[in-house]
Amino acid sequence: MKIRRALATAVAAAVTAPAVLLSVTPAFADTKPAAQTQEKQSKPTIKDLEKAAAEAQKAYEEAVKARDEAQITVRKAFEELSKDSHPLVAAANAAKQAAKDAGTAKDTADQAVIDAKAAVDALPEDATEEQKTAAATALSEAEATAATAATAKTAADTKAAETDDAVQDARVAAARAASVADRALDDALAAKIAADAALAQAKKEAEEEGEDCEPENDLTAEVTGLPTKLVAGTTTAFSVRVTNGSDRHMDEVITYAGVHATDKSGLKDTGKFFRLQWSSESSPKWKNVKDDYIDAVGALKPGARTDLKMRLTLDKATPAGNGVAFIAADFYNEDGSCGGTPGADMYEFDVKAAGSKPGKTEDAKPKPAKTTKPGGNGHTPQGSASATPATNGNLAATGSSSATTSIALAGGAAVVLGAAAVFVVRRRKAGSDA
């Protein structure tokens, strides 16, 4: 089964400028009107993708160099912080010795108090007033010395703790610098993977298709009943409604349904723990979705629609993390015309560990969503009181300051992981900057 051009275009749009994705704001807002942004990014050319891939490669190489330099710097910092000659270490050692000396002085002073009290208690009954006064004075002086020693010890202990914290803070700062460089390298690698995958896919599509299929805003594929929280070890039922809201007959309609997930780190693919199945009125037996395509829709007359039953099973071993479902549809006619939904609608959900309680949940909504453009053909889907909303899954237009990690899937193993990586990078940055 070929990966359809409409979906390849959507994925390609997500990585038109991968180097830029790494530096934009958490909300990934575009100052241009949404319609202009989608129009500009919906059809990147091979040349655009080649440029994006080259930029991503360069950014990756620079990130590797920066990571290597950071590791050298961090190693040197740790070596210096292990030497007694380092100013922070020297100060910490001096403070520790001072605290130790203060402790010894306090112990001596405390013993002097004990001895002075013993001397007072040992006075004979016939002791003179002069002897009693001398013993009391010695005790008072010992207690005063002990109090001073205790205060000095407290101050010395505080100083020792502060200087030790300064050494530890310096080590943490050095380690953090290495972590930042590692993370930047991960981000650059994610963008590179996505850019390379999108370019390869676009070239493959150009060779296989040999023609452009026009987006059809009035062909929609909507998901209902997919919750925003799924628990490992359970099966969830939902549905996909495909609607031909146009005034043209569609001879062959094919639905795209792809589900992908990662663990909480955002970089480990956990989709292998998922099984997506479908059934329809004409084909009621449950079947596994193969290659992310369902060929069960067949023909759709103008204004007609069909429903597909779906069920998603998560293995008990599925790690907690985040997932996303992409839904789209394509049509092909005997006269050679073809087209599809403008993009793949994205439905995000959280994955909870086996045995977890999902808590309050709701149906996932497509991101980003918009209603069918006004001034259409006027058709209303059969059995519906109003036009079915159509959503545009332009991947490059997505992004949120939400702390929830978001990932992407759009056909083909390389594209799956590449698009997923880009969404992980964007959401992870949004969460850390929020």
Side-chain angles (χ1 to χ4, degrees), residues 294-357:
I294 303 172
D295 295 322
V297 177
L300 280 181
K301 297 178 180 179
R305 72 186 184 196
T306 189
D307 292 321
L308 297 172
K309 295 180 180 179
M310 309 292 297
R311 67 183 184 188
L312 179 60
T313 301
L314 279 62
D315 189 273
K316 287 185 178 180
T318 306
N322 302 277
V324 64
F326 272 85
I327 305 297
D330 294 323
F331 74 88
Y332 294 84
N333 290 334
E334 293 180 359
D335 62 6
S337 61
C338 59
T341 53
D345 288 350
M346 181 176 73
Y347 296 80
E348 298 176 343
F349 56 85
D350 293 335
V351 178
K352 304 294 184 181
S356 300
K357 299 295 183 181

Side-chain angles (χ1 to χ4, degrees), residues 164-431:
D164 185 66
D165 286 345
V167 174
Q168 298 305 321
D169 288 346
R171 289 174 177 162
V172 170
R176 185 178 294 116
S179 177
V180 169
D182 287 341
R183 186 167 175 178
L185 179 58
D186 288 342
D187 291 349
L189 177 59
K192 177 183 178 300
I193 292 172
D196 290 344
L199 175 58
Q201 191 64 38
K203 288 182 177 179
K204 178 182 177 182
E205 288 301 318
E207 293 176 356
E208 291 182 347
E209 299 288 352
E211 61 178 347
D212 288 328
C213 294
E214 295 296 326
E216 174 55 71
N217 287 318
D218 292 317
L219 175 63
T220 62
E222 286 188 293
V223 169
T224 56
L226 178 64
T228 54
K229 297 177 183 178
L230 303 180
V231 178
T234 65
T235 296
T236 299
F238 61 99
S239 63
V240 174
R241 171 166 291 179
V242 182
T243 302
N244 177 10
S246 73
D247 56 4
R248 65 196 301 180
H249 187 280
M250 297 180 180
D251 297 333
E252 179 188 6
V253 178
I254 298 174
T255 304
Y256 169 86
V259 181
H260 184 65
T262 70
D263 63 357
K264 291 183 177 180
S265 73
L267 295 178
K268 182 179 180 181
D269 180 17
T270 59
K272 63 182 179 181
F273 296 102
F274 286 27
R275 183 174 66 163
L276 183 62
Q277 297 177 296
W278 66 273
S279 71
S280 65
E281 184 176 354
S282 61
S283 183
K285 184 177 180 180
W286 286 104
K287 304 171 197 61
N288 294 330
V289 175
K290 295 182 179 180
D291 300 322
D292 300 326
Y293 279 93
I294 303 172
D295 295 322
V297 177
L300 280 181
K301 297 178 180 179
R305 72 186 184 196
T306 189
D307 292 321
L308 297 172
K309 295 180 180 179
M310 309 292 297
R311 67 183 184 188
L312 179 60
T313 301
L314 279 62
D315 189 273
K316 287 185 178 180
T318 306
N322 302 277
V324 64
F326 272 85
I327 305 297
D330 294 323
F331 74 88
Y332 294 84
N333 290 334
E334 293 180 359
D335 62 6
S337 61
C338 59
T341 53
D345 288 350
M346 181 176 73
Y347 296 80
E348 298 176 343
F349 56 85
D350 293 335
V351 178
K352 304 294 184 181
S356 300
K357 299 295 183 181
K360 184 178 181 181
T361 186
E362 57 186 12
D363 285 356
K365 303 299 182 183
K367 295 184 178 183
K370 68 175 184 177
T371 56
T372 304
K373 294 180 180 179
N377 53 49
H379 277 284
T380 298
Q382 295 176 359
S384 175
S386 61
T388 302
T391 59
N392 186 327
N394 186 334
L395 307 188
T398 62
S400 168
S401 58
S402 168
T404 304
T405 306
S406 175
I407 51 183
L409 171 66
V415 176
V416 166
L417 297 178
V422 168
F423 274 91
V424 167
V425 168
R426 291 168 58 168
R427 280 302 177 86
R428 189 174 63 189
K429 279 186 168 291

Side-chain angles (χ1 to χ4, degrees), residues 100-114 146 149-150 153:
K100 182 178 179 180
D101 293 342
T104 300
K106 181 179 182 301
D107 291 342
T108 300
D110 290 342
Q111 185 60 48
V113 171
I114 294 173
K153 183 180 184 303

Side-chain angles (χ1 to χ4, degrees), residues 34-123:
Q36 292 182 10
T37 301
Q38 292 170 1
E39 180 180 356
K40 179 180 179 180
Q41 295 182 334
S42 62
K43 293 183 179 180
T45 65
I46 296 293
K47 185 176 180 180
D48 292 334
L49 296 176
E50 288 175 339
K51 180 180 179 182
E55 291 175 349
Q57 177 66 35
K58 182 179 179 181
Y60 172 70
E61 292 172 355
E62 291 176 349
V64 171
K65 182 179 178 180
R67 190 278 310 272
D68 293 343
E69 292 175 349
Q71 288 181 342
I72 293 173
T73 301
V74 170
R75 281 198 297 270
K76 289 181 63 176
F78 272 97
E79 289 174 2
E80 292 297 321
L81 286 169
S82 67
K83 298 177 181 178
D84 292 340
S85 59
H86 191 283
L88 292 178
V89 177
N93 290 339
K96 288 178 182 178
Q97 185 60 49
K100 182 178 179 180
D101 293 342
T104 300
K106 181 179 182 301
D107 291 342
T108 300
D110 290 342
Q111 185 60 48
V113 171
I114 294 173
D115 293 343
K117 287 183 178 180
V120 170
D121 294 339
L123 286 173

